[in-house]
Amino acid sequence: KYAEIHTVSTYLSDLFATKFTSDTRNNEHLYRDPFNDELIQLCPSYPKYCVVPSTITNEEIREAAKFRSYKQFPTIVWRHINGAIIARVGQPEVGWPLRHSKEDENMIQAIINSHNDTLTTNSIESGKNLNRLLILHVGSHDAAIKNYAKYHINCNLEFMTLPDIHAISRNARMLRASNTTQCENWLSELTLTHWLHNLSVLIKAACCVVTNVDEHNRLVIVHYSNGQDHTSPMITLAEIMLDSHYLNNKWF
């Protein structure tokens, strides 16, 4: 499927194919793109192309998706130069019975295995948290999610406590309504919207991802209630901070 690589990519699908093939050339047995029309309908909020471990079948993806909010199954979104991985997934639908999904656990374990297999020699020699999964829940403390994390061996769970989408929308309306250009106390007016606070906690959460991936060689999985609140901007910001292309005076 990815045998033909175009020199100049015209569509996003071509860009993905080029990048995917380039990044996995030496580890092609570890990853694959699972998507077909059936899986696109399964999770319409996901892009057309995703990356999962090659050991996971589409049937396992369908079963794992049943356990995640909005059927957002675990998918790999970044592999760093040291081999460390960032993955995203919908929040587990544990519920009051504290149920769990074997297929979901197998899929997470497969991502852990692929992460360990792609770590570079330098990162292995550093010996920092190589096998310890870090799950970042974007929202506030949740006892059910904390209990579910116990099903993953060698796992740490952290709550980023970012405000929910309703608070963000309310703050955005306050920001649009404020007129800081004609206000003597413009900084106080801006502070009251809580927008600077929202940006601050988002950057702090992204920095947490960057530190664990770049310095500690850890696999980081990010999730929230529906994946459409802070998950995407948090991961995107972390990827920009990790991308060497942007680490120069031109972009910062």
Side-chain angles (χ1 to χ4, degrees):
K1 184 175 182 179
Y2 298 112
E4 297 182 5
I5 302 301
H6 304 284
T7 303
V8 179
S9 299
T10 306
Y11 303 103
L12 286 177
S13 57
D14 296 330
L15 290 171
F16 176 87
T18 303
K19 182 64 174 174
F20 178 79
T21 305
S22 174
D23 287 352
T24 61
R25 184 172 290 114
N26 297 325
N27 302 282
E28 57 185 9
H29 64 290
L30 295 177
Y31 307 105
R32 71 183 185 92
D33 164 33
F35 262 32
N36 52 36
D37 291 339
E38 180 184 357
L39 291 182
I40 291 174
Q41 295 175 2
L42 173 68
C43 184
S45 62
Y46 268 5
K48 182 178 180 180
Y49 297 98
C50 287
V51 178
V52 299
S54 59
T55 56
I56 298 298
T57 66
N58 283 4
E59 179 60 31
E60 289 176 300
I61 292 175
R62 283 190 288 270
E63 291 301 316
K66 294 177 182 178
F67 182 68
R68 295 287 176 170
S69 61
Y70 290 80
K71 293 185 170 55
Q72 293 176 336
F73 56 85
T75 180
I76 298 167
V77 296
W78 180 269
R79 191 184 68 173
H80 199 39
I81 55 175
N82 61 6
I85 288 173
I86 302 175
R88 64 168 296 169
V89 63
Q91 177 177 305
E93 296 187 337
V94 181
W96 64 266
L98 298 180
R99 67 188 185 94
H100 63 102
S101 166
K102 194 63 179 177
E103 291 80 8
D104 180 78
E105 294 166 24
N106 291 340
M107 197 165 181
I108 296 295
Q109 186 59 51
I111 293 177
I112 294 174
N113 295 339
S114 64
H115 162 81
N116 294 338
D117 288 343
T118 57
L119 288 175
T120 62
T121 303
N122 291 336
S123 63
I124 292 175
E125 290 176 350
S126 69
K128 293 182 179 179
N129 299 308
L130 296 183
N131 298 312
R132 199 140 186 98
L133 165 67
L134 175 62
I135 298 177
L136 297 181
H137 179 66
V138 179
S140 56
H141 185 275
D142 189 309
I145 292 177
K146 185 176 181 179
N147 288 329
Y148 176 71
K150 297 177 182 178
Y151 288 106
H152 301 296
I153 302 174
N154 291 327
C155 168
N156 292 125
L157 171 66
E158 294 185 20
F159 296 94
M160 296 289 96
T161 63
L162 271 67
D164 60 33
I165 190 64
H166 305 292
I168 293 294
S169 298
R170 182 171 61 253
N171 297 155
R173 290 193 298 269
M174 294 173 62
L175 181 64
R176 288 193 296 267
S178 63
N179 189 358
T180 57
T181 59
Q182 299 180 6
C183 179
E184 294 182 359
N185 299 321
W186 62 270
L187 183 56
S188 298
E189 184 82 8
L190 180 60
T191 303
L192 289 174
T193 67
H194 297 286
W195 198 251
L196 294 179
H197 170 74
N198 295 338
L199 293 177
S200 175
V201 294
L202 178 62
I203 293 173
K204 182 179 179 181
C207 287
C208 179
V209 176
V210 171
T211 300
N212 281 280
V213 169
D214 185 55
E215 297 183 11
H216 304 314
N217 316 311
R218 299 184 71 175
L219 163 61
V220 178
I221 295 180
V222 181
H223 65 59
Y224 198 26
S225 57
N226 61 16
Q228 299 175 357
D229 298 325
H230 296 292
T231 307
S232 295
M234 176 178 164
I235 291 177
T236 301
L237 182 57
E239 291 175 351
I240 292 174
M241 296 166 71
L242 287 167
D243 195 331
S244 58
H245 176 74
Y246 297 101
L247 299 181
N248 54 60
N249 293 332
K250 178 180 179 180
W251 300 105
F252 279 92

